[in-house]
Amino acid sequence: MKVYNVLHRKKEEFIPIDGKNIKMYVCGMTVNGEAHLGHARQVITFDMIAQYLRFKGYNVEYASNYTDIDDKIIAQSKEMGISPLNLADQRIKSINETMSHLIIKEPTYRPRVTKCIDDIIQFVSDLIEKGYAYATSVGDVYFCVKKFPAYGQLSNRKIDELINSVRIETAESKNDALDFALWKAVGEDEFGWQSPWGKGRPGWHIECSTMIKKFLGKTIDIHGGGKDLIFPHHENEIAQSTCENDCQLANYWLHNGLITVDGQKMSKSLGNFVLVKDLLKIYNPEVIRYAILVNHYTSTLDLGESAMLLAEKNLYYFYNALCKIDSALKDYEQKDSDEIVKIFTECMDDDFNSAKFIAELFTIFSKLGKFDNKEYMSSVKYGLDVIKDILGIFRENPYIFVESVKNKYLNKLGINKEYIEEQIAKRMSAKQEKNYALADEIRSDLDKKGIILKDTTEGTLWDIKQLY
Protein backbone atom coordinates (compact mmCIF):
# COMPACT_ATOMS: atom_id res chain seq x y z
CA MET A 1 0.00 0.00 0.00
CA LYS A 2 1.33 3.43 -0.96
CA VAL A 3 0.39 6.83 0.43
CA TYR A 4 1.37 10.36 -0.59
CA ASN A 5 3.57 11.64 2.22
CA VAL A 6 3.51 15.45 2.25
CA LEU A 7 6.68 15.44 4.37
CA HIS A 8 8.69 14.04 1.44
CA ARG A 9 6.33 15.19 -1.35
CA LYS A 10 6.03 11.75 -2.91
CA LYS A 11 4.19 8.44 -2.68
CA GLU A 12 5.80 6.01 -0.28
CA GLU A 13 5.23 2.44 0.81
CA PHE A 14 3.20 2.50 4.00
CA ILE A 15 5.06 0.69 6.78
CA PRO A 16 3.59 1.01 10.30
CA ILE A 17 5.86 1.46 13.29
CA ASP A 18 4.37 -1.47 15.18
CA GLY A 19 3.35 -4.24 12.81
CA LYS A 20 -0.45 -4.37 12.62
CA ASN A 21 -0.97 -1.46 15.05
CA ILE A 22 -1.48 2.02 13.63
CA LYS A 23 -1.73 5.33 15.45
CA MET A 24 -3.38 8.19 13.58
CA TYR A 25 -4.16 11.75 14.64
CA VAL A 26 -6.24 14.28 12.70
CA CYS A 27 -6.62 17.91 13.74
CA GLY A 28 -10.28 18.40 14.57
CA MET A 29 -12.67 21.32 14.71
CA THR A 30 -12.43 24.55 16.63
CA VAL A 31 -15.97 24.82 17.92
CA ASN A 32 -16.50 28.57 17.35
CA GLY A 33 -19.21 27.73 14.80
CA GLU A 34 -21.25 24.91 13.32
CA ALA A 35 -19.76 22.20 11.08
CA HIS A 36 -19.43 23.24 7.42
CA LEU A 37 -18.55 21.41 4.21
CA GLY A 38 -14.82 21.78 4.80
CA HIS A 39 -15.16 19.98 8.11
CA ALA A 40 -17.33 17.32 6.47
CA ARG A 41 -14.68 16.62 3.84
CA GLN A 42 -11.97 16.14 6.41
CA VAL A 43 -14.07 13.96 8.70
CA ILE A 44 -15.33 11.77 5.83
CA THR A 45 -11.85 11.47 4.29
CA PHE A 46 -10.11 10.27 7.42
CA ASP A 47 -13.06 8.13 8.47
CA MET A 48 -12.68 6.33 5.14
CA ILE A 49 -8.92 5.98 5.66
CA ALA A 50 -9.33 4.59 9.18
CA GLN A 51 -12.04 2.19 8.03
CA TYR A 52 -9.93 0.97 5.11
CA LEU A 53 -6.90 0.38 7.32
CA ARG A 54 -9.08 -1.70 9.64
CA PHE A 55 -10.41 -3.59 6.61
CA LYS A 56 -6.76 -4.38 5.75
CA GLY A 57 -6.38 -6.00 9.15
CA TYR A 58 -4.74 -3.18 11.11
CA ASN A 59 -5.66 -2.16 14.64
CA VAL A 60 -6.18 1.59 14.36
CA GLU A 61 -6.02 3.98 17.29
CA TYR A 62 -7.50 7.15 15.86
CA ALA A 63 -7.62 10.44 17.72
CA SER A 64 -9.26 13.66 16.52
CA ASN A 65 -9.57 16.58 18.89
CA TYR A 66 -11.94 19.41 19.60
CA THR A 67 -10.41 22.83 20.23
CA ASP A 68 -13.01 23.98 22.71
CA ILE A 69 -11.51 27.32 23.69
CA ASP A 70 -10.29 30.28 21.62
CA ASP A 71 -10.86 34.04 21.39
CA LYS A 72 -14.01 33.68 19.27
CA ILE A 73 -15.61 31.17 21.64
CA ILE A 74 -14.91 33.49 24.57
CA ALA A 75 -16.32 36.54 22.73
CA GLN A 76 -19.42 34.60 21.66
CA SER A 77 -20.00 33.31 25.19
CA LYS A 78 -19.86 36.85 26.57
CA GLU A 79 -22.53 37.95 24.10
CA MET A 80 -24.71 34.99 25.09
CA GLY A 81 -24.16 35.46 28.80
CA ILE A 82 -22.84 31.94 29.42
CA SER A 83 -19.43 30.49 30.21
CA PRO A 84 -17.18 29.56 27.26
CA LEU A 85 -17.05 25.98 28.54
CA ASN A 86 -20.87 25.72 28.47
CA LEU A 87 -20.95 27.17 24.97
CA ALA A 88 -18.31 24.66 23.85
CA ASP A 89 -20.36 21.83 25.35
CA GLN A 90 -23.43 22.96 23.40
CA ARG A 91 -21.49 23.29 20.16
CA ILE A 92 -19.83 19.89 20.48
CA LYS A 93 -23.19 18.25 21.17
CA SER A 94 -24.67 19.94 18.08
CA ILE A 95 -21.66 19.07 15.89
CA ASN A 96 -21.68 15.44 17.02
CA GLU A 97 -25.38 15.18 16.22
CA THR A 98 -24.84 16.67 12.75
CA MET A 99 -21.80 14.55 11.92
CA SER A 100 -23.47 11.34 13.12
CA HIS A 101 -25.78 11.60 10.09
CA LEU A 102 -22.76 11.39 7.77
CA ILE A 103 -22.23 7.71 8.63
CA ILE A 104 -19.07 8.40 10.63
CA LYS A 105 -17.51 5.86 12.97
CA GLU A 106 -16.36 7.72 16.07
CA PRO A 107 -12.57 7.99 16.54
CA THR A 108 -10.99 6.01 19.35
CA TYR A 109 -10.28 9.26 21.23
CA ARG A 110 -11.97 12.68 21.13
CA PRO A 111 -9.67 14.81 23.32
CA ARG A 112 -10.64 18.36 24.25
CA VAL A 113 -8.12 21.11 24.89
CA THR A 114 -9.72 22.26 28.14
CA LYS A 115 -9.34 18.74 29.56
CA CYS A 116 -5.58 18.76 28.84
CA ILE A 117 -4.45 22.08 30.35
CA ASP A 118 -2.13 20.51 32.93
CA ASP A 119 -0.48 18.42 30.20
CA ILE A 120 -0.04 21.51 28.02
CA ILE A 121 1.56 23.47 30.85
CA GLN A 122 3.97 20.58 31.49
CA PHE A 123 4.83 20.38 27.78
CA VAL A 124 5.58 24.12 27.65
CA SER A 125 7.62 23.91 30.86
CA ASP A 126 9.72 21.11 29.37
CA LEU A 127 10.47 23.18 26.25
CA ILE A 128 11.58 26.12 28.40
CA GLU A 129 13.79 23.84 30.50
CA LYS A 130 15.38 22.39 27.36
CA GLY A 131 16.12 25.86 26.02
CA TYR A 132 13.70 25.79 23.07
CA ALA A 133 11.21 28.25 24.53
CA TYR A 134 11.22 31.35 26.70
CA ALA A 135 8.78 33.23 28.88
CA THR A 136 8.40 37.00 28.52
CA SER A 137 8.00 39.62 31.22
CA VAL A 138 4.25 39.84 30.51
CA GLY A 139 3.65 36.08 30.87
CA ASP A 140 3.63 34.95 27.23
CA VAL A 141 5.71 31.93 26.25
CA TYR A 142 7.23 31.57 22.77
CA PHE A 143 8.98 28.80 20.88
CA CYS A 144 12.36 29.86 19.46
CA VAL A 145 12.12 28.81 15.81
CA LYS A 146 15.80 29.37 14.97
CA LYS A 147 16.79 26.75 17.55
CA PHE A 148 15.12 24.14 15.33
CA PRO A 149 17.12 24.22 12.04
CA ALA A 150 14.76 21.75 10.33
CA TYR A 151 11.87 24.23 10.60
CA GLY A 152 10.04 24.45 7.28
CA GLN A 153 10.61 20.82 6.24
CA LEU A 154 6.89 20.01 5.87
CA SER A 155 5.90 23.12 3.94
CA ASN A 156 9.18 23.20 1.99
CA ARG A 157 10.11 26.63 3.33
CA LYS A 158 13.45 27.91 4.60
CA ILE A 159 13.78 29.90 7.79
CA ASP A 160 15.72 32.68 6.05
CA GLU A 161 12.91 33.16 3.51
CA LEU A 162 10.02 33.14 5.99
CA ILE A 163 10.50 36.66 7.32
CA ASN A 164 9.97 38.15 3.87
CA SER A 165 7.36 35.75 2.50
CA VAL A 166 5.00 35.10 5.41
CA ARG A 167 2.84 37.37 7.50
CA ILE A 168 4.10 36.81 11.02
CA GLU A 169 2.52 37.61 14.34
CA THR A 170 4.36 40.49 15.98
CA ALA A 171 4.84 41.20 19.64
CA GLU A 172 7.26 43.59 21.33
CA SER A 173 8.33 40.96 23.84
CA LYS A 174 9.32 38.37 21.24
CA ASN A 175 13.00 37.60 20.75
CA ASP A 176 12.43 36.98 17.05
CA ALA A 177 9.54 37.72 14.67
CA LEU A 178 9.42 34.03 13.61
CA ASP A 179 8.80 32.76 17.13
CA PHE A 180 5.28 31.46 17.81
CA ALA A 181 3.18 31.42 20.95
CA LEU A 182 2.98 28.41 23.22
CA TRP A 183 1.15 30.22 26.02
CA LYS A 184 -0.71 33.55 25.84
CA ALA A 185 -1.05 35.76 28.89
CA VAL A 186 -4.49 37.14 29.80
CA GLY A 187 -5.67 39.64 32.39
CA GLU A 188 -6.81 38.44 35.79
CA ASP A 189 -10.43 39.26 34.89
CA GLU A 190 -10.25 37.28 31.62
CA PHE A 191 -10.96 33.59 31.08
CA GLY A 192 -7.87 31.44 31.48
CA TRP A 193 -5.84 29.13 33.69
CA GLN A 194 -3.10 29.76 36.21
CA SER A 195 0.38 28.70 35.10
CA PRO A 196 4.00 29.19 36.22
CA TRP A 197 4.03 32.28 33.95
CA GLY A 198 0.78 33.78 35.17
CA LYS A 199 -2.82 33.47 34.04
CA GLY A 200 -3.22 32.58 30.39
CA ARG A 201 -4.43 30.23 27.67
CA PRO A 202 -2.57 27.76 25.46
CA GLY A 203 -1.42 28.71 21.98
CA TRP A 204 -3.18 26.82 19.20
CA HIS A 205 -0.22 24.76 17.98
CA ILE A 206 0.82 23.35 21.36
CA GLU A 207 -2.62 21.82 21.88
CA CYS A 208 -2.31 19.11 19.21
CA SER A 209 1.28 18.23 20.09
CA THR A 210 0.24 17.70 23.69
CA MET A 211 -2.83 15.63 22.88
CA ILE A 212 -0.90 13.42 20.46
CA LYS A 213 1.67 12.64 23.13
CA LYS A 214 -0.98 12.11 25.83
CA PHE A 215 -3.26 9.79 23.84
CA LEU A 216 -1.06 8.16 21.20
CA GLY A 217 2.59 8.57 22.21
CA LYS A 218 5.66 10.42 21.02
CA THR A 219 5.73 9.16 17.42
CA ILE A 220 2.65 8.23 15.43
CA ASP A 221 2.17 6.62 12.04
CA ILE A 222 -0.19 9.12 10.39
CA HIS A 223 -0.90 12.77 11.05
CA GLY A 224 -3.73 14.25 9.00
CA GLY A 225 -5.65 17.43 8.39
CA GLY A 226 -6.58 19.93 5.71
CA LYS A 227 -3.96 21.45 3.40
CA ASP A 228 -4.56 24.81 5.04
CA LEU A 229 -2.95 23.42 8.22
CA ILE A 230 0.41 22.53 6.67
CA PHE A 231 1.81 25.96 7.50
CA PRO A 232 2.08 27.16 10.14
CA HIS A 233 0.07 24.75 12.31
CA HIS A 234 1.63 21.42 11.38
CA GLU A 235 5.04 22.95 10.86
CA ASN A 236 4.92 24.29 14.40
CA GLU A 237 3.69 20.95 15.75
CA ILE A 238 6.72 19.23 14.25
CA ALA A 239 9.12 21.77 15.74
CA GLN A 240 7.82 21.71 19.29
CA SER A 241 7.15 17.93 19.40
CA THR A 242 10.54 17.00 17.97
CA CYS A 243 12.31 19.24 20.49
CA GLU A 244 10.21 17.96 23.39
CA ASN A 245 10.35 14.25 22.55
CA ASP A 246 13.73 13.95 20.77
CA CYS A 247 12.09 11.97 17.97
CA GLN A 248 9.96 12.39 14.87
CA LEU A 249 6.34 13.34 15.46
CA ALA A 250 4.75 11.43 12.55
CA ASN A 251 6.07 9.19 9.79
CA TYR A 252 3.37 10.02 7.24
CA TRP A 253 1.63 13.36 6.75
CA LEU A 254 -1.66 13.22 4.82
CA HIS A 255 -3.62 16.34 3.88
CA ASN A 256 -7.02 16.59 2.25
CA GLY A 257 -7.66 19.30 -0.33
CA LEU A 258 -9.80 22.36 0.27
CA ILE A 259 -13.35 23.09 -0.89
CA THR A 260 -14.67 25.72 -3.25
CA VAL A 261 -18.31 26.46 -4.05
CA ASP A 262 -19.02 27.13 -7.73
CA GLY A 263 -15.36 28.00 -8.25
CA GLN A 264 -15.04 30.41 -5.33
CA LYS A 265 -13.43 29.90 -1.97
CA MET A 266 -16.08 29.07 0.60
CA SER A 267 -16.53 32.00 3.00
CA LYS A 268 -19.22 33.72 5.02
CA SER A 269 -18.54 37.07 3.33
CA LEU A 270 -19.37 35.63 -0.11
CA GLY A 271 -22.58 34.08 1.17
CA ASN A 272 -21.52 30.60 -0.02
CA PHE A 273 -20.69 29.18 3.39
CA VAL A 274 -22.45 25.81 3.42
CA LEU A 275 -23.32 24.26 6.78
CA VAL A 276 -23.58 20.47 6.96
CA LYS A 277 -26.91 20.59 8.82
CA ASP A 278 -28.41 22.71 6.02
CA LEU A 279 -27.09 20.36 3.33
CA LEU A 280 -28.60 17.37 5.17
CA LYS A 281 -32.03 18.97 4.78
CA ILE A 282 -31.65 18.70 1.01
CA TYR A 283 -29.55 15.59 0.35
CA ASN A 284 -29.31 12.05 1.63
CA PRO A 285 -26.10 11.63 3.72
CA GLU A 286 -24.81 9.10 1.19
CA VAL A 287 -25.09 11.72 -1.56
CA ILE A 288 -22.85 14.04 0.49
CA ARG A 289 -20.32 11.26 1.06
CA TYR A 290 -20.39 10.31 -2.62
CA ALA A 291 -19.86 13.95 -3.70
CA ILE A 292 -16.75 14.07 -1.52
CA LEU A 293 -15.31 10.62 -2.25
CA VAL A 294 -15.82 10.83 -6.03
CA ASN A 295 -12.78 13.15 -5.98
CA HIS A 296 -9.34 12.12 -4.73
CA TYR A 297 -8.93 13.31 -1.17
CA THR A 298 -5.92 15.51 -2.00
CA SER A 299 -7.62 17.47 -4.79
CA THR A 300 -9.40 20.81 -4.53
CA LEU A 301 -13.09 19.96 -4.51
CA ASP A 302 -15.79 22.20 -5.94
CA LEU A 303 -19.09 21.42 -4.26
CA GLY A 304 -21.61 23.79 -5.79
CA GLU A 305 -25.21 22.87 -6.48
CA SER A 306 -24.37 21.27 -9.84
CA ALA A 307 -21.82 18.94 -8.20
CA MET A 308 -24.31 17.89 -5.55
CA LEU A 309 -27.04 17.26 -8.13
CA LEU A 310 -24.63 15.15 -10.21
CA ALA A 311 -23.71 13.12 -7.12
CA GLU A 312 -27.40 12.50 -6.42
CA LYS A 313 -28.04 11.55 -10.03
CA ASN A 314 -25.10 9.10 -10.14
CA LEU A 315 -25.99 7.46 -6.84
CA TYR A 316 -29.58 7.17 -8.07
CA TYR A 317 -28.26 5.36 -11.17
CA PHE A 318 -26.33 2.86 -9.04
CA TYR A 319 -29.23 2.25 -6.65
CA ASN A 320 -31.64 1.76 -9.56
CA ALA A 321 -29.33 -0.93 -10.87
CA LEU A 322 -29.15 -2.51 -7.41
CA CYS A 323 -32.95 -2.69 -7.36
CA LYS A 324 -32.82 -4.68 -10.60
CA ILE A 325 -30.07 -6.90 -9.21
CA ASP A 326 -32.10 -7.63 -6.07
CA SER A 327 -35.14 -8.48 -8.19
CA ALA A 328 -33.13 -10.74 -10.51
CA LEU A 329 -31.43 -12.56 -7.61
CA LYS A 330 -34.60 -13.11 -5.57
CA ASP A 331 -34.38 -16.93 -5.88
CA TYR A 332 -30.64 -17.10 -6.49
CA GLU A 333 -28.18 -18.34 -3.89
CA GLN A 334 -25.58 -15.57 -3.66
CA LYS A 335 -21.96 -16.64 -4.03
CA ASP A 336 -18.91 -14.94 -2.57
CA SER A 337 -16.67 -13.29 -5.16
CA ASP A 338 -13.51 -11.22 -4.74
CA GLU A 339 -13.75 -9.62 -8.20
CA ILE A 340 -15.12 -6.25 -7.05
CA VAL A 341 -13.20 -6.32 -3.76
CA LYS A 342 -9.96 -6.85 -5.69
CA ILE A 343 -10.61 -3.78 -7.87
CA PHE A 344 -11.49 -1.78 -4.77
CA THR A 345 -8.32 -2.87 -2.94
CA GLU A 346 -6.10 -2.03 -5.91
CA CYS A 347 -7.56 1.49 -6.03
CA MET A 348 -7.42 2.10 -2.30
CA ASP A 349 -3.90 0.73 -1.95
CA ASP A 350 -2.90 3.56 -4.28
CA ASP A 351 -3.15 6.43 -1.79
CA PHE A 352 -6.80 5.71 -0.82
CA ASN A 353 -8.04 6.45 -4.34
CA SER A 354 -11.80 6.28 -3.83
CA ALA A 355 -12.23 8.45 -6.94
CA LYS A 356 -10.61 5.81 -9.14
CA PHE A 357 -12.79 3.08 -7.67
CA ILE A 358 -16.01 5.03 -8.23
CA ALA A 359 -14.93 5.58 -11.83
CA GLU A 360 -14.40 1.82 -12.10
CA LEU A 361 -17.93 1.30 -10.78
CA PHE A 362 -19.42 2.85 -13.91
CA THR A 363 -17.56 0.25 -15.99
CA ILE A 364 -18.63 -2.52 -13.61
CA PHE A 365 -22.29 -1.50 -13.75
CA SER A 366 -22.23 -1.03 -17.53
CA LYS A 367 -21.39 -4.75 -17.82
CA LEU A 368 -24.68 -5.66 -16.16
CA GLY A 369 -26.31 -5.24 -19.55
CA LYS A 370 -29.78 -6.77 -19.54
CA PHE A 371 -29.39 -8.06 -15.97
CA ASP A 372 -29.41 -11.68 -17.13
CA ASN A 373 -25.98 -12.80 -15.83
CA LYS A 374 -26.82 -13.85 -12.29
CA GLU A 375 -23.28 -14.87 -11.40
CA TYR A 376 -21.92 -11.44 -12.35
CA MET A 377 -24.77 -9.63 -10.59
CA SER A 378 -24.11 -11.71 -7.49
CA SER A 379 -20.42 -10.76 -7.55
CA VAL A 380 -21.33 -7.04 -7.78
CA LYS A 381 -23.78 -7.29 -4.90
CA TYR A 382 -21.33 -9.24 -2.75
CA GLY A 383 -18.48 -6.80 -3.45
CA LEU A 384 -20.54 -3.74 -2.53
CA ASP A 385 -21.72 -5.44 0.65
CA VAL A 386 -18.08 -5.97 1.66
CA ILE A 387 -16.93 -2.38 1.05
CA LYS A 388 -20.05 -0.35 1.85
CA ASP A 389 -19.03 0.50 5.42
CA ILE A 390 -15.63 1.78 4.27
CA LEU A 391 -17.02 4.27 1.75
CA GLY A 392 -20.26 4.85 3.64
CA ILE A 393 -22.32 4.41 0.46
CA PHE A 394 -24.50 1.54 -0.79
CA ARG A 395 -25.63 0.96 2.79
CA GLU A 396 -29.30 1.74 2.23
CA ASN A 397 -32.14 -0.44 0.99
CA PRO A 398 -32.03 0.31 -2.77
CA TYR A 399 -35.82 0.43 -3.14
CA ILE A 400 -36.17 2.92 -0.27
CA PHE A 401 -33.34 5.09 -1.62
CA VAL A 402 -34.81 5.20 -5.15
CA GLU A 403 -38.29 5.90 -3.81
CA SER A 404 -37.06 8.73 -1.56
CA VAL A 405 -35.22 10.45 -4.44
CA LYS A 406 -38.25 10.10 -6.70
CA ASN A 407 -40.53 11.61 -4.05
CA LYS A 408 -38.12 14.50 -3.56
CA TYR A 409 -38.23 15.37 -7.26
CA LEU A 410 -41.99 14.84 -7.52
CA ASN A 411 -42.43 17.43 -4.77
CA LYS A 412 -40.25 19.83 -6.76
CA LEU A 413 -42.33 19.19 -9.90
CA GLY A 414 -45.62 19.50 -8.04
CA ILE A 415 -46.82 16.07 -9.24
CA ASN A 416 -47.87 13.00 -7.28
CA LYS A 417 -47.55 9.32 -8.14
CA GLU A 418 -51.29 8.83 -8.35
CA TYR A 419 -51.57 11.36 -11.17
CA ILE A 420 -48.74 9.67 -13.11
CA GLU A 421 -50.29 6.25 -12.70
CA GLU A 422 -53.68 7.59 -13.85
CA GLN A 423 -52.05 9.01 -16.98
CA ILE A 424 -50.25 5.73 -17.66
CA ALA A 425 -53.58 3.86 -17.36
CA LYS A 426 -55.26 6.35 -19.74
CA ARG A 427 -52.40 5.93 -22.20
CA MET A 428 -52.71 2.14 -22.01
CA SER A 429 -56.44 2.35 -22.75
CA ALA A 430 -55.80 4.74 -25.64
CA LYS A 431 -53.27 2.31 -27.14
CA GLN A 432 -55.68 -0.60 -26.75
CA GLU A 433 -58.30 1.48 -28.59
CA LYS A 434 -55.63 2.26 -31.22
CA ASN A 435 -55.89 5.95 -30.37
CA TYR A 436 -52.17 6.44 -30.79
CA ALA A 437 -52.47 10.21 -31.09
CA LEU A 438 -53.91 10.43 -27.55
CA ALA A 439 -51.28 7.99 -26.27
CA ASP A 440 -48.52 10.15 -27.74
CA GLU A 441 -50.14 13.28 -26.32
CA ILE A 442 -50.18 11.80 -22.81
CA ARG A 443 -46.49 10.80 -23.09
CA SER A 444 -45.60 14.27 -24.40
CA ASP A 445 -47.57 16.02 -21.66
CA LEU A 446 -45.81 13.98 -18.95
CA ASP A 447 -42.45 14.65 -20.59
CA LYS A 448 -43.10 18.41 -20.41
CA LYS A 449 -43.88 17.99 -16.71
CA GLY A 450 -40.52 16.24 -16.17
CA ILE A 451 -41.72 12.62 -16.23
CA ILE A 452 -40.39 10.09 -18.71
CA LEU A 453 -42.11 6.81 -19.61
CA LYS A 454 -40.40 3.53 -20.46
CA ASP A 455 -42.37 0.77 -22.17
CA THR A 456 -41.05 -2.65 -21.12
CA THR A 457 -42.20 -6.25 -21.29
CA GLU A 458 -43.34 -5.81 -17.69
CA GLY A 459 -45.46 -2.78 -18.52
CA THR A 460 -44.93 0.97 -18.60
CA LEU A 461 -42.50 2.35 -16.03
CA TRP A 462 -41.99 6.00 -15.18
CA ASP A 463 -39.03 7.99 -13.94
CA ILE A 464 -37.77 11.52 -13.31
CA LYS A 465 -36.41 13.20 -16.44
CA GLN A 466 -33.95 15.37 -14.47
CA LEU A 467 -32.20 12.29 -13.15
CA TYR A 468 -31.11 11.19 -16.63
Side-chain angles (χ1 to χ4, degrees):
M1 183 169 68
K2 290 191 174 183
V3 301
Y4 185 83
N5 190 352
V6 175
L7 184 63
H8 301 136
R9 287 168 284 285
K10 64 180 181 179
K11 283 185 187 179
E12 297 176 340
E13 192 70 29
F14 179 69
I15 304 172
I17 298 167
D18 181 20
K20 283 292 182 179
N21 300 309
I22 293 174
K23 295 183 178 182
M24 180 171 84
Y25 182 91
V26 177
C27 293
M29 282 185 63
T30 299
V31 296
N32 53 32
E34 294 289 344
H36 56 66
L37 261 180
H39 299 129
R41 185 181 196 188
Q42 179 173 302
V43 169
I44 289 170
T45 293
F46 287 98
D47 174 72
M48 174 193 71
I49 289 172
Q51 293 286 69
Y52 183 67
L53 291 171
R54 291 181 179 120
F55 168 77
K56 293 279 286 184
Y58 293 107
N59 303 308
V60 181
E61 278 189 273
Y62 172 22
S64 185
N65 72 297
Y66 279 124
T67 294
D68 56 349
I69 195 69
D70 77 343
D71 292 343
K72 287 184 180 179
I73 294 170
I74 292 169
Q76 291 164 358
S77 68
K78 285 180 180 178
E79 290 177 8
M80 298 168 70
I82 61 175
S83 81
L85 298 183
N86 285 343
L87 176 57
D89 286 341
Q90 292 175 21
R91 287 268 171 74
I92 289 172
K93 182 178 179 181
S94 175
I95 290 164
N96 284 342
E97 169 63 22
T98 298
M99 291 304 195
S100 69
H101 294 294
L102 293 179
I103 320 163
I104 304 297
K105 183 176 175 63
E106 267 296 289
T108 316
Y109 308 108
R110 273 286 193 193
R112 291 172 58 167
V113 171
T114 58
K115 305 291 185 182
C116 300
I117 297 300
D118 289 344
D119 302 282
I120 290 170
I121 290 172
Q122 184 61 55
F123 201 119
V124 175
S125 297
D126 289 348
L127 287 172
I128 293 173
E129 187 177 334
K130 291 180 178 183
Y132 292 109
Y134 57 92
T136 70
S137 58
V138 297
D140 295 321
V141 180
Y142 290 96
F143 181 88
C144 185
V145 169
K146 288 185 177 177
K147 288 192 176 181
F148 183 63
Y151 190 81
Q153 60 185 298
L154 185 68
S155 56
N156 199 26
R157 289 168 161 91
K158 295 179 180 178
I159 291 179
D160 294 340
E161 297 171 354
L162 284 171
I163 287 273
N164 298 321
S165 63
V166 179
R167 182 182 176 185
I168 299 165
E169 176 191 357
T170 58
E172 290 183 7
S173 55
K174 276 183 167 187
N175 289 350
D176 192 288
L178 279 175
D179 297 347
F180 59 86
L182 301 174
W183 187 261
K184 299 178 180 180
V186 301
E188 285 302 319
D189 59 340
E190 294 183 69
F191 186 87
W193 292 267
Q194 291 298 333
S195 77
W197 321 286
K199 192 174 184 181
R201 296 195 293 271
W204 177 33
H205 314 298
I206 195 67
E207 298 168 357
C208 289
S209 284
T210 301
M211 288 184 279
I212 289 170
K213 184 177 181 180
K214 179 179 175 69
F215 289 91
L216 297 176
K218 293 180 178 180
T219 302
I220 61 175
D221 297 282
I222 297 171
H223 195 314
K227 285 186 177 179
D228 55 328
L229 299 181
I230 293 175
F231 187 89
H233 185 52
H234 287 167
E235 200 71 76
N236 291 351
E237 277 187 56
I238 288 174
Q240 61 206 10
S241 290
T242 304
C243 293
E244 161 70 352
N245 301 321
D246 297 317
C247 58
Q248 188 161 293
L249 173 57
N251 287 346
Y252 301 89
W253 288 82
L254 278 57
H255 293 94
N256 63 275
L258 305 183
I259 283 184
T260 58
V261 178
D262 295 325
Q264 291 185 301
K265 182 180 177 181
M266 190 173 66
S267 70
K268 290 180 181 178
S269 61
L270 292 173
N272 65 354
F273 200 75
V274 184
L275 296 181
V276 177
K277 65 179 182 180
D278 292 335
L279 205 61
L280 284 165
K281 294 173 185 176
I282 306 170
Y283 297 102
N284 183 293
E286 287 201 10
V287 173
I288 299 172
R289 285 191 71 109
Y290 180 96
I292 288 171
L293 297 179
V294 76
N295 295 270
H296 191 268
Y297 78 91
T298 60
S299 65
T300 298
L301 172 57
D302 191 86
L303 273 185
E305 185 179 7
S306 60
M308 293 304 303
L309 289 173
L310 181 60
E312 187 171 56
K313 175 180 173 180
N314 288 345
L315 208 50
Y316 180 77
Y317 159 76
F318 288 129
Y319 267 115
N320 247 322
L322 288 174
C323 287
K324 294 175 183 177
I325 289 175
D326 276 359
S327 179
L329 296 179
K330 194 169 291 183
D331 301 316
Y332 182 80
E333 186 177 342
Q334 184 172 309
K335 299 172 184 176
D336 295 354
S337 170
D338 292 332
E339 184 178 353
I340 308 303
V341 177
K342 183 181 177 183
I343 295 170
F344 175 71
T345 304
E346 287 174 354
C347 294
M348 293 292 284
D349 278 353
D350 182 16
D351 196 26
F352 310 106
N353 201 337
S354 60
K356 185 178 179 182
F357 175 69
I358 292 173
E360 293 283 354
L361 276 182
F362 284 96
T363 302
I364 291 166
F365 273 68
S366 70
K367 292 178 182 177
L368 291 166
K370 296 180 180 180
F371 295 87
D372 53 3
N373 185 335
K374 292 188 177 183
E375 187 174 346
Y376 184 69
M377 287 189 289
S378 179
S379 72
V380 172
K381 182 174 171 57
Y382 173 80
L384 294 184
D385 282 343
V386 170
I387 67 167
K388 63 185 180 183
D389 288 333
I390 301 167
L391 296 180
I393 54 178
F394 305 120
R395 291 165 48 99
E396 294 208 10
N397 179 302
Y399 298 98
I400 293 174
F401 182 92
V402 167
E403 189 73 8
S404 68
V405 174
K406 277 187 170 181
N407 288 335
K408 172 184 172 179
Y409 279 80
L410 287 178
N411 288 334
K412 284 183 179 180
L413 297 170
I415 303 174
N416 58 50
K417 288 188 290 184
E418 290 72 24
Y419 172 77
I420 297 169
E421 288 164 0
E422 285 173 7
Q423 295 305 301
I424 290 173
K426 284 181 182 180
R427 179 171 174 268
M428 181 65 68
S429 296
K431 289 176 76 174
Q432 289 172 349
E433 295 168 4
K434 297 187 178 180
N435 188 348
Y436 299 115
L438 177 58
D440 289 343
E441 185 181 330
I442 291 170
R443 176 193 281 273
S444 178
D445 183 59
L446 285 172
D447 186 78
K448 289 174 183 175
K449 288 180 167 64
I451 304 299
I452 53 177
L453 301 183
K454 300 176 183 178
D455 292 320
T456 72
T457 55
E458 299 173 356
T460 301
L461 306 177
W462 64 271
D463 215 328
I464 309 294
K465 189 176 181 179
Q466 195 177 345
L467 291 168
Y468 288 86

